[in-house]
């Protein structure tokens, strides 16, 4: 036999193929489960897997378990169910080294015996300071709402205390396109996580949406943006706004949106293809024309510009510049090595040619795609906060 992963059901699962019988079988009959890492046990009787479950109340974790090949039964390691569990087995498979984090607790290293039932997880690092631990960092609640096409969309919500709630909301758009951020572990967007606490203290409700094409929700979720980036994914943010208005007492005219990289792109598409939908937007290090971006990434989604120009045109903000009506702030590093600085320069020129007035740009001469200097991060988020304060309060 050999073993492999497949998305035949729409979710990544583990299969076996018997060479003698010419027969394939799924070892994981469970619905809506996504498998990440796999490792065949030394005795060849089970497979260790890192996985996530795509169901309300269960999503947003990287869990660890042992799959019995004969019984087709998954045995979760109970202590490794919540948060993110990155596991390395010892050479003898007697022990596990576990790198683990939670929604409000950064990564730490643990060890335990290789036993799914035994409660013996031992922490061997302590990385946070007293100052960090003195603040009341929240573990944001993961919620879901029905999108306009009937699909469940998940998001992390940061709710202010009732006494501070100001009736305004900010939607955050994570970058990378294919990435999960509505989860129960320490986010790669830890600066934004801290910034959302600041917004929460100012009375804003913040919603961090795992829009269509995000990771962790199966094949169809990932491919929903084929030939139209800024289509179904942007529609999820329109639906998210309506969800907040109906369920959290948010004023429909006081909702802002911001994000970086792909998140900056969605912010531009929101303001340029859906004018008056959002009160303002901040687009960080954003793509403005996909024909100018990394071909290896873009061609998987939009094909190539010479063969499918329509998909590039309907997906690129620069072709909708004439629609700008709402306050826009663009922020970009001049030595960006991912989304070229020329992107934001070309869009700025279009705004100038069109006589657009309610937009601004901040340029960071020493920064690449991911900022390095603390003063740059501070300046960037100071400007975003001021934009929200001016237009949403």
């Amino acid at each position: 036999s050999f073993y492999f992963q497949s998305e035949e059901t729409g979710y990544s699962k583990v299969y076996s193929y018997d060479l003698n019988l010419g027969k394939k079988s799924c070892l994981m009959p469970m619905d809506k489960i996504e498998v990440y890492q796999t490792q065949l046990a030394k005795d060849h009787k089970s497979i260790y897997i890192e996985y996530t479950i795509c169901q309300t109340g269960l999503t947003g974790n990287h869990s660890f378990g042992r799959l019995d090949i004969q019984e087709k039964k998954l045995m979760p390691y109970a202590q490794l169910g919540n948060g993110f569990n990155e596991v390395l087995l010892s050479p003898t498979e007697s022990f596990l080294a576990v790198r683990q984090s939670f929604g409000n607790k950064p990564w730490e290293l643990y060890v335990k015996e290789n036993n799914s039932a035994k409660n013996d997880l031992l922490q061997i690092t302590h990385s946070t300071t007293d100052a960090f631990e003195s603040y009341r960092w929240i573990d944001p609640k993961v919620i879901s709402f029905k999108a306009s096409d009937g699909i469940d969309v998940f998001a992390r919500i940061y709710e202010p205390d009732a006494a501070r709630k100001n009736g305004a909301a900010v939607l955050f758009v994570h970058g990378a396109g294919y990435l999960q951020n509505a989860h129960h572990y320490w986010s790669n967007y830890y600066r934004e996580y801290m910034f959302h606490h600041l917004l929460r203290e100012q009375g804003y409700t913040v919603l961090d949406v795992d829009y269509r094409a995000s990771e962790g929700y199966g094949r169809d979720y990932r491919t929903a943006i084929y030939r139209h980036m800024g289509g179904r994914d942007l529609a999820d943010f329109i639906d998210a706004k309506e969800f907040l208005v109906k369920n959290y007492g948010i004023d429909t005219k006081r909702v802002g949106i911001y994000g970086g990289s792909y998140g900056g792109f969605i912010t531009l598409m929101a303001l340029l293809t859906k004018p008056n939908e959002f009160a303002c937007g901040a687009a960080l290090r954003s793509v403005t024309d996909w024909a100018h971006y990394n071909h290896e990434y873009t061609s998987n989604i939009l094909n190539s510009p010479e063969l499918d120009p329509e998909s590039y045109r309907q997906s690129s903000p620069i072709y909708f510049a004439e629609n700008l009506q709402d306050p826009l702030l663009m922020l970009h590093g001049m030595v960006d090595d991912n989304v070229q600085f020329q992107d934001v320069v070309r869009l700025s020129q279009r705004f100038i040619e069109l006589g657009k007035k309610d937009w601004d740009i901040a340029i960071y001469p020493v920064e690449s795609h991911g900022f390095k200097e603390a003063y740059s991060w501070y300046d960037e988020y100071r400007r975003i906060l001021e934009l929200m304060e001016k237009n949403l309060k």
Side-chain angles (χ1 to χ4, degrees):
S1 297
F2 65 83
Y3 306 96
F4 63 97
Q5 286 176 248
S6 170
E7 286 186 319
E8 182 180 10
T9 65
Y11 295 88
S12 178
K13 297 186 178 182
V14 179
Y15 292 77
S16 68
Y17 188 89
D18 189 307
L19 292 166
N20 294 322
L21 299 177
K23 182 182 178 181
K24 176 186 71 175
S25 60
C26 180
L27 301 179
M28 305 180 67
M30 308 84 79
D31 191 28
K32 294 186 177 180
I33 186 170
E34 284 269 89
V35 173
Y36 289 94
Q37 302 296 326
T38 64
Q39 181 177 335
L40 185 64
K42 284 184 176 296
D43 62 8
H44 291 191
K45 294 180 180 179
S46 58
I47 297 174
Y48 296 103
I49 65 168
E50 178 192 318
Y51 63 95
T52 186
I53 299 175
C54 319
Q55 296 177 18
T56 301
L58 298 174
T59 191
N61 298 298
H62 275 234
S63 303
F64 181 80
R66 189 171 70 249
L67 177 66
D68 186 297
I69 294 172
Q70 190 66 35
E71 299 293 330
K72 298 183 180 179
K73 181 180 180 181
L74 178 63
M75 294 164 283
Y77 280 51
Q79 275 190 294
L80 307 181
N82 293 319
F84 194 121
N85 300 277
E86 183 182 349
V87 178
L88 182 67
L89 282 91
S90 67
T92 63
E93 295 184 1
S94 299
F95 292 90
L96 310 177
V98 183
R99 197 172 76 101
Q100 186 182 75
S101 72
F102 301 95
N104 57 353
K105 185 179 179 183
W107 298 97
E108 300 289 359
L109 190 62
Y110 303 78
V111 292
K112 80 178 298 296
E113 288 187 30
N114 186 0
N115 185 308
S116 61
K118 198 169 182 180
N119 186 12
D120 60 346
L121 191 63
L122 176 66
Q123 182 173 340
I124 61 173
T125 64
H126 188 97
S127 304
T128 52
T129 65
D130 291 341
F132 179 89
E133 292 167 6
S134 68
Y135 185 83
R136 188 170 64 91
W137 302 106
I138 65 168
D139 185 359
K141 185 179 179 182
V142 175
I143 62 173
S144 65
F145 60 90
K146 287 287 184 185
S148 51
D149 62 353
I151 299 297
D152 288 327
V153 174
F154 292 87
R156 292 213 294 187
I157 190 164
Y158 299 75
E159 285 189 89
D161 295 335
R164 293 186 176 182
K165 189 171 182 178
N166 62 21
V170 175
L171 300 184
F172 172 62
V173 193
H174 69 68
Y178 190 60
L179 176 146
Q180 187 175 25
N181 210 44
H183 52 58
H184 301 290
Y185 47 89
W186 189 247
S187 176
N188 290 331
Y189 290 92
Y190 55 88
R191 296 179 185 88
E192 288 76 7
Y193 170 77
M194 293 187 281
F195 181 58
H196 294 163
H197 279 75
L198 175 60
L199 289 173
R200 178 174 170 267
E201 289 178 356
Q202 300 297 319
Y204 296 98
T205 301
V206 181
L207 197 65
D208 177 355
V209 182
D210 269 348
Y211 52 91
R212 222 63 60 94
S214 294
E215 177 187 340
Y217 306 101
R219 177 196 61 211
D220 296 343
Y221 205 88
R222 184 185 70 246
T223 59
I225 62 169
Y226 179 60
R227 296 195 68 239
H228 193 184
M229 298 153 91
R232 184 60 254 179
D233 43 6
L234 174 56
D236 287 343
F237 284 92
I238 307 296
D239 296 337
K241 173 191 166 184
E242 294 307 312
F243 170 76
L244 289 178
V245 170
K246 291 179 181 178
N247 296 280
Y248 286 86
I250 299 301
D251 184 341
T252 188
K253 294 183 179 180
R254 292 196 291 135
V255 180
I257 186 169
Y258 90 100
S261 198
Y262 197 94
F265 154 74
I266 287 291
T267 299
L268 289 175
M269 290 295 277
L271 268 60
L272 299 182
T273 68
K274 303 292 181 182
N276 296 324
E277 189 70 54
F278 295 98
C280 62
L284 295 63
R285 51 191 73 84
S286 47
V287 175
T288 67
D289 186 348
W290 288 109
H292 287 215
Y293 189 65
N294 179 336
H295 177 72
E296 287 74 19
Y297 173 85
T298 313
S299 61
N300 286 324
I301 305 171
L302 301 180
N303 303 309
S304 60
E306 66 274 16
L307 297 178
D308 196 355
E310 179 186 352
S311 67
Y312 280 79
R313 187 175 186 88
Q314 70 180 354
S315 302
S316 297
I318 198 165
Y319 294 109
F320 304 97
E322 68 276 6
N323 296 330
L324 181 66
Q325 298 180 31
D326 310 297
L328 168 65
L329 171 64
M330 298 186 294
L331 309 104
H332 213 117
M334 190 175 284
V335 288
D336 195 321
D337 51 358
N338 183 344
V339 181
Q340 300 298 314
F341 181 62
Q342 291 94 316
D343 258 53
V344 74
V345 173
R346 291 178 66 233
L347 183 57
S348 298
Q349 178 62 27
R350 281 296 293 144
F351 287 152
I352 294 168
E353 293 168 356
L354 293 164
K356 298 297 180 181
K357 298 177 181 179
D358 207 0
W359 63 279
D360 203 355
I361 184 169
I363 295 168
Y364 299 86
V366 303
E367 297 292 0
S368 59
H369 195 63
F371 287 5
K372 296 293 193 296
E373 302 295 340
Y375 54 72
S376 299
W377 286 110
Y378 172 79
D379 183 82
E380 183 174 58
Y381 281 91
R382 174 187 62 80
R383 293 173 186 272
I384 297 169
L385 178 61
E386 289 174 357
L387 177 77
M388 302 301 174
E389 291 279 272
K390 179 180 178 181
N391 294 284
L392 302 184
K393 277 294 182 70

